[in-house]
Amino acid sequence: MSDTDPQLLAHRLRVAFPAVTSLTVYARSPLTIKILVQQWPGLKRVKLVRWHQRLALWPIGEDFVCLLEQCENLNWLDLSTFYYWTEDLPPVLQACPKVSASLVHLNLLTTSFAEGFKSQEIKEITTACPNLKNFLVACNFDPRYIGFVGDETLLAVANNCPKLTLLHLADTSSLTDVRGDPDNEGFTSEDAMVTKGTLVEFFSGLPLLQELVLDVGRNVMDTSMALEMLNSKCKDLRVLKLGQFHGICLAIESQLDGIALCSGLEELSIKNCGDLTDMGLIAIGRGCSKLSRFEVQGCKRITEKGLRTMACLLRNTLVKVKISCCKNLDAAASLRSVEPIRDRIQWLHIDCVWNGWEEIGNSEQVGLSFWHNQVEEPSRLFSLMGSEYDHEMRRKKCKYSSDVSDGYILENNGFWCKKWDRLQYLSLWIDVGELLTPLPAAGLLNCPNLEEIRIKVEGDCRGRSKPSERAFGLSSLALYPRLSKMQLDCSETIGYALTAPSGQMDLSLWERFFLNGIGELRLSELDYWPPQDRDVNHRSLSLPAAGLLAECLELRKLFIHGTAHEHFMMFLLKIPNLRDVQLREDYYPAPENDMSTEMRAGSCSRFEAALNRRHILD
């Protein structure tokens, strides 16, 4: 604030907290970093945050010079939510070789980057930091761009940082939390310049890897043979995420190949694999028998049969599943596919693609019909894999009985159960304008231990007609008795913040539609991302939204990821035991405070004072 001496404030912080070794700070300007690191030269871990734009008048590397010069014990640096230029970092790391050599963790997965780090910059960073154990970086694998990442860069990373145990190389296009085109078959128009031979050499140079993410955003073809090397070259690998890799498991007859040979994997994510089939899923279930988490996204050729058989094979270990943007797996099919682990699963993501109200409304008849028609299907699939494996799996596989109750097949020993007994976290994607109300009928009716739900609403409101219903359907979640935490993310919902064209709704009316009924839930914690108008960079709480949020009478924590007018915030004082309220401009570019009437420091201070004046029972 203008009336506060920053040096005095930093001194007061040091007096209050003299032994700080770990610091997270929102650094709007390099001056903030410079003043703070002078107070704690013994810092070991630093996370910098900035969603505002970097000013062009600042010298290259200005944000990092003082940090690396003053903090000689620094070994952990996180810049994943800090906006800067990629050319800022490499020169500073090269100029401070002692500190750079001591770094063991460097997170450069900055989501606000348009193009990411160039190949030469990654080489310079890894050369300066040879002792890295964790390295996460946003880059560009598109060969049409100057400085794209390809074979040469991958080999440089392996050669320069052989001690890596965690490595994330992600194309900037994969960092956006936006659902892909459901009609895309998984292949891109361009191939990445990453070859099979390079992948083998790359894996061989990183024997200590425990977690690997290669989300390249461009086709990497015929990778089965290279992925087989992971099992022998990276024996400690437990977590693997592949994006745009094709031919990962050929699944020819009963022979295991490709990724199915990575028997030590505990978490596997497959994204946009254009040729992954049901037989590939079954092979992965056979070979990767320790999987506790499996994610599949944008794989158009897999179906409910393959995923269900895989879940049956992994019944003893699999507890976390994500199914997203798979053409043949709508909401009901996704839920049926994980039914073999229904009594064990703890974490689940599905897309709310209903494919017709009539089918969902008659879900019991649909499920019963499926079972009568498909009960012998696993036997047919297993018979294709060879007699030896067929004999073993016939001994282990699920034995279905003829007992039918409420549309579900139950084994004599209770193998299938009606409840999602252990489901604690549910994540949903839903298209804007769709309703949430079919969710219980789709199969999630009885979740006695569900505590937290995340709902991602995505789409363009502009040009859409007014929804046929008054409410989105949040009130339908009241049937989950232990639901207390919600993340309602409408940040990728785009509309008109100001005056909408005739016949269309502005964002305030869409917010009323989304939040109607939220007061019927017994929520204690809520994260809410308002919808946005990109043309004016507007993400703000509207009057209807403030009024509806004020009806959540049991809220203790409310985080609004956007801005809000002071008089709208005062509505929240009606919530009797509200303790923690935060306004977070955690998106790029964050609005300038001095240009906004919604984020004035005085307004926030008055609301905070009013919140603190209230008597709270506990």
Side-chain angles (χ1 to χ4, degrees):
M1 295 169 60
S2 58
D3 57 348
T4 302
D5 180 356
Q7 293 283 358
L8 177 60
L9 180 57
H11 174 72
R12 295 285 190 182
L13 286 170
R14 185 184 63 184
V15 171
F17 308 105
V20 169
T21 58
S22 179
L23 174 68
T24 300
V25 56
Y26 194 103
R28 182 77 178 268
S29 75
L31 180 62
T32 303
I33 304 171
K34 181 179 181 180
I35 292 175
L36 284 177
V37 298
Q38 290 173 351
Q39 313 303 318
W40 298 298
L43 285 172
K44 296 179 179 179
R45 298 166 60 99
V46 173
K47 178 175 181 178
L48 300 180
V49 183
R50 180 166 67 212
W51 293 101
H52 289 86
Q53 299 185 59
R54 178 204 187 281
L55 297 186
L57 56 87
W58 296 338
I60 293 295
E62 183 74 5
D63 287 308
F64 309 120
V65 170
C66 287
L67 178 63
L68 271 68
E69 287 182 348
Q70 298 280 341
C71 303
E72 295 184 354
N73 297 324
L74 188 69
N75 60 28
W76 194 97
L77 181 60
D78 186 344
L79 304 177
S80 59
T81 52
F82 185 72
Y83 181 75
Y84 58 103
W85 295 346
T86 57
E87 55 264 39
D88 283 326
L89 187 60
V92 182
L93 290 173
Q94 292 172 326
C96 302
K98 182 179 178 181
V99 176
S100 300
S102 67
L103 286 175
V104 296
H105 178 100
L106 184 58
N107 189 343
L108 307 178
L109 275 178
T110 309
T111 55
S112 53
F113 282 157
E115 297 181 10
F117 283 89
K118 293 179 172 58
S119 174
Q120 184 59 35
E121 293 168 339
I122 293 176
K123 295 176 188 176
E124 293 172 356
I125 291 170
T126 53
T127 300
C129 307
N131 295 310
L132 283 176
K133 294 183 178 179
N134 300 340
F135 184 44
L136 306 89
V137 61
C139 50
N140 196 323
F141 285 89
D142 191 338
R144 296 173 296 181
Y145 284 77
I146 296 175
F148 71 89
V149 170
D151 287 345
E152 187 180 350
T153 314
L154 293 182
L155 295 179
V157 171
N159 292 330
N160 294 337
C161 301
K163 299 178 183 178
L164 284 172
T165 60
L166 181 151
L167 176 61
H168 288 210
L169 295 173
D171 191 272
T172 51
S173 63
S174 69
L175 298 179
T176 57
D177 189 18
V178 178
R179 192 172 185 263
D181 182 2
D183 296 325
N184 188 312
E185 293 300 322
F187 296 96
T188 58
S189 58
E190 300 289 334
D191 290 349
M193 300 299 288
V194 177
T195 61
K196 294 178 288 185
T198 295
L199 286 175
V200 172
E201 192 173 348
F202 175 67
F203 299 148
S204 301
L206 297 170
L208 303 180
L209 270 184
Q210 299 175 15
E211 179 173 337
L212 175 63
V213 174
L214 291 174
D215 199 344
V216 301
R218 301 293 179 273
N219 299 325
V220 182
M221 309 299 292
D222 304 322
T223 58
S224 174
M225 184 178 299
L227 292 174
E228 290 179 7
M229 294 295 102
L230 273 174
N231 190 48
S232 58
K233 303 298 182 182
C234 306
K235 296 182 181 297
D236 295 329
L237 190 67
R238 298 294 177 263
V239 181
L240 178 63
K241 179 177 180 180
L242 300 174
Q244 221 67 47
F245 274 57
H246 308 291
I248 63 173
C249 184
L250 303 179
I252 299 174
E253 297 183 345
S254 61
Q255 187 69 33
L256 294 180
D257 69 284
I259 203 172
L261 291 175
C262 298
S263 57
L265 287 180
E266 297 174 2
E267 298 183 17
L268 174 62
S269 175
I270 302 172
K271 179 179 177 183
N272 296 334
C273 180
D275 53 7
L276 182 66
T277 63
D278 286 345
M279 296 304 294
L281 285 180
I282 295 169
I284 292 171
R286 291 170 53 206
C288 304
S289 58
K290 298 179 182 179
L291 284 182
S292 63
R293 181 180 186 126
F294 179 68
E295 300 182 0
V296 60
Q297 180 176 348
C299 299
K300 312 300 181 182
R301 298 181 62 183
I302 63 173
T303 69
E304 174 186 338
K305 298 175 185 178
L307 195 55
R308 186 183 185 98
T309 307
M310 180 189 188
C312 188
L313 290 166
L314 296 172
R315 171 171 163 75
N316 292 329
T317 59
L318 194 60
V319 294
K320 296 182 179 181
V321 176
K322 177 179 179 178
I323 308 166
S324 179
C325 205
C326 296
K327 183 168 61 176
N328 299 315
L329 292 165
D330 59 14
S334 296
L335 292 172
R336 290 195 299 267
S337 68
V338 296
E339 193 156 330
I341 55 172
R342 194 181 199 189
D343 58 334
R344 301 178 58 87
I345 193 168
Q346 301 171 12
W347 190 102
L348 176 64
H349 172 93
I350 62 171
D351 292 345
C352 295
V353 178
W354 306 125
N355 283 339
W357 173 268
E358 293 80 11
E359 180 181 349
I360 298 301
N362 296 314
S363 61
E364 293 186 358
Q365 288 79 2
V366 171
L368 184 57
S369 172
F370 168 80
W371 277 108
H372 282 319
N373 293 333
Q374 306 297 339
V375 67
E376 296 300 327
E377 188 66 24
S379 297
R380 188 183 71 81
L381 288 172
F382 289 130
S383 68
L384 299 174
M385 300 177 190
S387 58
E388 181 179 350
Y389 178 72
D390 181 57
H391 174 75
E392 176 68 10
M393 287 309 299
R394 284 181 184 277
R395 184 177 66 83
K396 293 183 177 179
K397 71 173 184 175
C398 319
K399 298 179 177 64
Y400 305 103
S401 76
S402 59
D403 299 331
V404 181
S405 176
D406 294 333
Y408 301 102
I409 295 297
L410 297 177
E411 195 181 9
N412 291 331
N413 64 0
F415 183 89
W416 306 120
C417 59
K418 300 178 184 179
K419 295 181 181 179
W420 300 78
D421 280 320
R422 300 186 185 181
L423 186 63
Q424 299 175 358
Y425 182 97
L426 176 64
S427 173
L428 304 171
W429 176 94
I430 189 167
D431 191 22
V432 66
E434 294 290 332
L435 300 177
L436 199 60
T437 45
L439 183 64
L444 278 174
L445 181 63
N446 195 342
C447 304
N449 293 305
L450 182 63
E451 298 178 354
E452 184 172 357
I453 188 167
R454 176 180 176 87
I455 304 172
K456 174 81 172 181
V457 186
E458 184 182 325
D460 196 338
C461 301
R462 298 170 297 186
R464 288 183 180 262
S465 57
K466 183 178 180 180
S468 57
E469 301 289 336
R470 291 182 59 252
F472 171 52
L474 288 181
S475 59
S476 64
L477 304 178
L479 59 87
Y480 305 129
R482 299 191 64 179
L483 183 63
S484 61
K485 301 177 183 179
M486 177 181 287
Q487 301 170 49
L488 180 57
D489 186 353
C490 303
S491 61
E492 294 299 331
T493 301
I494 304 165
Y496 299 104
L498 305 175
T499 305
S502 177
Q504 297 189 36
M505 301 197 308
D506 61 25
L507 287 181
S508 66
L509 297 179
W510 278 105
E511 282 197 280
R512 175 182 291 169
F513 169 72
F514 293 138
L515 292 171
N516 210 330
I518 195 171
E520 299 179 31
L521 307 180
R522 303 186 63 180
L523 298 177
S524 61
E525 298 183 19
L526 174 63
D527 278 74
Y528 176 58
W529 287 258
Q532 63 167 313
D533 186 334
R534 288 180 177 171
D535 293 338
V536 293
N537 192 29
H538 182 95
R539 303 190 193 196
S540 182
L541 195 70
S542 66
L543 175 59
L548 290 167
L549 290 178
E551 296 178 1
C552 300
L553 299 180
E554 297 191 23
L555 270 186
R556 303 287 300 217
K557 295 183 178 181
L558 175 60
F559 296 172
I560 299 170
H561 300 260
T563 61
H565 289 286
E566 180 180 359
H567 55 289
F568 294 170
M569 294 289 291
M570 292 301 177
F571 278 71
L572 305 178
L573 297 175
K574 298 178 182 178
I575 304 174
N577 289 311
L578 189 63
R579 294 294 303 269
D580 188 358
V581 182
Q582 296 184 21
L583 290 177
R584 294 182 172 179
E585 300 175 71
D586 50 359
Y587 52 91
Y588 178 82
E592 298 294 332
N593 291 354
D594 53 352
M595 299 296 292
S596 171
T597 60
E598 303 165 25
M599 290 294 290
R600 290 174 177 162
S603 300
C604 294
S605 297
R606 285 189 291 271
F607 172 77
E608 183 178 8
L611 193 67
N612 289 334
R613 281 196 301 267
R614 301 179 313 151
H615 175 69
I616 296 178
L617 295 178
D618 59 352

